[in-house]
Amino acid sequence: MADFQSSSHKAKWIFTPQQLAEKYKATNNRAKQMLEKYGTTRMRVDVDGSLSYPEPQVNMTENADKHSRSKPISVEEEQFMRVYYEYKLREVCSAFYFPHKIQATALLYFKRLTCIYAACKIEENHVSAEELGKGISQDHQMILNYEMIVYQAWSLEFDLIVYAPYRSVEGFVADIEASLTNPCEFCHPTDENIEKLKEIAVAEVDKIMLTDAPVLFPPGQLALAALQSANEMHRVLDFERYLNSVLSRQNSAHMISEISESLHAVEKWVRKYSFPTDKDMKHINRKLKSCWGHNSHDDNKKREKKSKHKSHKSSNEMQNGPGLT
């Protein structure tokens, strides 16, 4: 695997808070403009990944009844949706007993717009589209139809190698374990304490991955932030001295004050994490339905009904056993 410093992940998918906020706002404005220009009729995705739109609707705003007009969602409501579906994504990964690296890759992909099926492929953890579709009660053909389009044109742009903090946590823990044979000024831990530190740090990474921090900070800093939080609970080592030791051995250009500031910023993202209430999601869904239009909404209902029918049929077949004819 390529080094993070020379990766497309670092070059194209790590932003400053201001850049990220501007991207969220620009994307939201673009969606609103498309809605105003073309109405609720859905765009068409062509085979090559390009997008086709219907003819612009003349005087759509003036002619629309105020109760039937589309109600686009805000940037803040989009954030609620991301939080909601990232949590759902983690539930699906847990249901399939996927390892942390699959969940982390899926979350990083989702922050770029797509996720689980692609993550399983790139991390070489095979699961068929049929199996995944059945697990989430969706038609597997939908997954296959959009796979290459998403890779190529929409969000990933074939930048499939991503770096998650879990491996960095393991590296730092191994470094701390090495100090057991050569006791130093920053730690005198036991095997039991180190294992507890690692366990809690992994749980802290799980929390971090559900925030915007993974697109603002490199994985090494995310891992250090998780270890710092874990260490605050158990005081296994003098973390500031350990941080100084790491930076001096790596000849890092970063100052200890810079790294500490980044770690506290990551911790702040975790603290302000907020999961939307049922009331929030119902309000957002009502607004989304106004943007879909009747044809789109009817199509979605048909797909859901078809998917449920297939799922019910498969369940009956499993209960009744394989047919003899």
Side-chain angles (χ1 to χ4, degrees), residues 207-239:
K207 297 176 187 176
I208 290 170
M209 291 303 295
L210 293 176
T211 72
D212 279 342
V215 291
L216 296 172
F217 303 94
Q221 291 183 16
L222 299 178
L224 283 171
L227 281 167
Q228 179 175 258
S229 295
N231 188 63
E232 287 175 357
M233 300 179 196
H234 287 277
R235 301 295 177 185
V236 174
L237 66 161
D238 184 328
F239 195 81

Side-chain angles (χ1 to χ4, degrees), residues 96 98 102 117 120-121 123-131:
F96 277 88
F98 289 148
I102 300 293
Y117 188 59
C120 287
K121 280 196 166 185
E123 296 294 350
E124 298 180 351
N125 193 100
H126 177 71
V127 60
S128 67
E130 290 86 351
E131 186 179 359

